[in-house]
Amino acid sequence: MDHPIAPAGITRRRALTVTGGMLAGAALAGHAFPAFAGEAQDADAIVVGHGLAGLVATAELAAAGRKVLLLDQEPEASLGGQAFWSFGGLFFVNSEEQRLMGVKDTHDLAWQDWLGSAGFDRGVADPAGQDHWAYKWAEAYVDFASGEKRSWLAGLGVQWFPIVGWAERGGGLADGHGNSVPRFHVTWGTGPAVVEPFEKKVRAAVAAGKAAFRFRHRVDGIVTTGGAVTGVRGAVLEPSTAARGKPSSRTVIGEFELRAPVVVVTSGGIGANHDLVRQNWPARLGTPPRNMVTGVPAHVDGRMLAITERAGGRIVNPDRMWHYTEGLRNYDPIWPGHGIRILPGPSSMWFDATGKRFGTPDIPGYDTLHTLGSITASGYDYSWFVTTQKIIAKEFALSGSEQNPDLTDKNVWQLLSRIWQTPEPIEKFKKNGADFVVASSLSELVAGMNKLTGDNLIDLARLKGQIEARDREMDNPYTKDAQVMGIRNALSYIGDSLSRTAPAHKILDPSAGPLIAVRLNVLTRKTLGGLQTDLSGRVLGASGEPVPGLYAAGEVAGFGGGGVHGYRSLEGTFLGGCLFSGRQAGRAAAAATAT
């Protein structure tokens, strides 16, 4: 398919202009370039994108003795990319932490869940099918998550919070979507702790002269010679002091062309490019929302997809994407339109914009994409949680390293304080966030909800009737209400009862108050399709054959194969996809450049 994001139209020459060269030289003077930069070949490999997948691929290449250039359009402050901002969740199967929690997990159960969620249906058995390599990557990834993934990372010093989270529960049949058991392992130190060991490896390689950073180098084209990739060209951007995640200047001060027999594209997805999100939005999810908040920095623009496609790469499954339904407008934004996701427990009641309660499986934490479709089908681009202080104190978590200072800073005392008080970031959003309404009565709450949106869609009597009907189901330990069943199910898991599920209670119980309504926005996040790659990370062309010298990893490759998740994610698989695909591509590219 064709993509609307085209590289900037600038005149390209191999040498910098005189003025640009002087400015670029000043900008880059602080970075040591190894001796190989002046040879006929600038490096053994060029990696485009310094996020997690790029760092892993670079580390693997350098460890194999290859000389690597790591390019990114952003300044050094943003090294690590979107992974730095993440909650640090990782998908493991039959881990030590699961066994500690009494969770019985197996490879077969995880594979059953993966297939039920992915729904691969686009030519799995056909080598030309969009899902052919995605399926193979899924098999390899579940093997990895069931095998060496945890020990590999533990050997690098990564640790995990002992209580395993139960994300994306599905709520349907055993062979349908969702995690049958808790598998969401939160990294001790969150996203920065996942990035750290690979950043250290790359910085050590730079110090040893095996690698070099090229910050503020925007790739505008992949160079091919005789059908094979031979390098990249693009623009040098002016120096930037932009803090991590903040937008940086796009002012061009020069041009570059760099040569290598291997180029590894690890440039991320399209989450900050709402035009591209809407262009690829699938009909099965309804009309694209008019208003969305953004879960990734502005530089996650998807432009390398079109650039790599023009170099011969094939893009598959572009309509598969993963956007969250529980987005909050950040009262203290870092990037434009900055949104934060609530990671909810199972107890908040969920209503559409008109005040109609969603049915199963549109329960908090169960089926993200089904709920997204239900929201768009309502004709509005937002929905509501109606909940209590007792619920948010126990069940609300906010995605993002900066929203979890206790876990990110590895502060045990601050973490333990969650037992007796609502986490401070949650209270700050409740106080300062534009999407929160707090009230002592339901009538006051409804008035606040209607005032917040200006739509006057919520009818007090209708909302009260639905809440009271649900509350009557709390009088017995059994029920016909699917959400109440889910609450009871969650409380039977020790991890949820300790940290993620409030004691079962009535929403209108005054002792659980105050009442809280939260307007939920659609939050853009992950691209599930992308460049089709084989199990070595080689980018495939329209014919199904690898484009010589071209590799891809991470989100730009659909986290492997152009769509390892299929239609849906089991969560905890995005960072893991960057790790696994970056390692696969780095090792394969190193083997391909062995002398």
Side-chain angles (χ1 to χ4, degrees), residues 520-544:
L520 304 173
N521 309 278
V522 174
L523 175 76
T524 63
R525 185 60 68 83
K526 296 298 180 185
T527 312
L528 299 189
L531 297 167
Q532 191 172 42
T533 59
D534 65 12
L535 287 176
S536 295
R538 297 183 299 178
V539 175
L540 305 179
S543 68

Side-chain angles (χ1 to χ4, degrees), residues 347-363:
S347 302
S348 297
M349 295 187 72
W350 206 337
F351 299 88
D352 71 13
T354 71
K356 178 183 177 182
R357 187 184 180 192
F358 288 125
T360 184
D362 302 330
I363 299 170

Side-chain angles (χ1 to χ4, degrees), residues 136-452:
K136 291 180 179 294
W137 272 91
E139 285 185 304
Y141 184 75
V142 173
D143 288 347
F144 179 59
S146 305
E148 65 172 316
K149 179 182 177 183
R150 188 188 181 282
S151 61
W152 174 58
L153 291 171
L156 296 172
V158 183
Q159 298 177 306
W160 297 276
F161 185 59
I163 297 177
V164 184
W166 194 356
E168 202 65 16
R169 306 181 189 202
L173 300 175
D175 58 356
H177 171 56
N179 285 294
S180 297
V181 297
R183 295 191 178 104
F184 191 83
H185 297 67
V186 177
T187 302
W188 186 233
T190 67
V194 179
V195 172
E196 181 182 16
F198 301 100
E199 179 181 342
K200 284 183 176 179
K201 284 177 174 288
V202 173
R203 290 194 182 279
V206 171
K210 296 179 181 178
F213 291 118
R214 292 287 193 273
F215 303 114
R216 306 297 285 157
H217 277 55
R218 185 187 70 199
V219 172
D220 294 329
I222 295 173
V223 180
T224 59
T225 305
V229 166
T230 54
V232 296
R233 52 182 168 77
V236 179
L237 306 179
E238 69 177 352
S240 174
T241 58
R244 181 184 291 275
K246 292 283 188 181
S248 62
S249 164
R250 290 294 178 262
T251 300
V252 174
I253 61 171
E255 298 164 346
F256 70 89
E257 184 170 324
L258 296 166
R259 296 150 296 175
V262 161
V263 171
V264 185
V265 179
T266 59
S267 55
I270 67 173
N273 188 333
H274 288 198
D275 289 340
L276 201 51
V277 168
R278 291 189 177 95
Q279 175 185 312
N280 291 307
W281 193 273
R284 64 181 176 275
L285 292 180
T287 303
R290 295 184 302 275
N291 300 295
M292 298 182 285
V293 292
T294 308
V296 293
H299 60 78
V300 185
D301 54 19
R303 61 190 305 277
M304 281 304 299
L305 280 163
I307 291 168
T308 310
E309 186 179 39
R310 285 195 288 273
R314 182 191 185 198
I315 295 173
V316 296
N317 302 311
D319 60 316
R320 293 180 183 168
M321 50 187 70
W322 192 254
H323 304 306
Y324 290 112
T325 50
E326 313 98 333
L328 303 175
R329 291 177 291 174
N330 196 340
Y331 66 89
D332 185 20
I334 296 171
W335 52 80
H338 188 176
I340 295 293
R341 184 202 174 198
I342 298 172
L343 284 72
S347 302
S348 297
M349 295 187 72
W350 206 337
F351 299 88
D352 71 13
T354 71
K356 178 183 177 182
R357 187 184 180 192
F358 288 125
T360 184
D362 302 330
I363 299 170
Y366 275 68
D367 192 332
T368 294
L369 288 195
H370 191 281
T371 308
L372 179 57
S374 296
I375 291 169
T376 57
S378 75
Y380 296 88
D381 51 18
Y382 66 92
S383 60
W384 290 100
F385 275 171
V386 173
T387 188
T388 67
Q389 180 67 34
K390 191 172 185 178
I391 290 172
I392 75 163
K394 188 74 173 285
E395 296 192 7
F396 274 27
L398 299 175
S399 181
S401 55
E402 83 283 9
Q403 299 297 330
N404 295 275
D406 48 358
L407 288 163
T408 301
D409 298 337
K410 303 181 181 180
N411 187 321
V412 176
W413 176 252
Q414 191 177 10
L415 179 65
L416 290 174
S417 73
R418 295 190 185 210
I419 297 172
W420 62 83
Q421 66 181 10
T422 307
E424 184 180 8
I426 298 291
E427 282 296 323
K428 285 184 175 180
F429 261 93
K430 192 180 80 172
K431 178 181 178 181
N432 302 313
D435 296 305
F436 281 76
V437 179
V438 182
S440 58
S441 68
L442 188 60
S443 60
E444 182 186 349
L445 189 77
V446 169
M449 294 165 72
N450 285 328
K451 181 180 179 181
L452 178 62

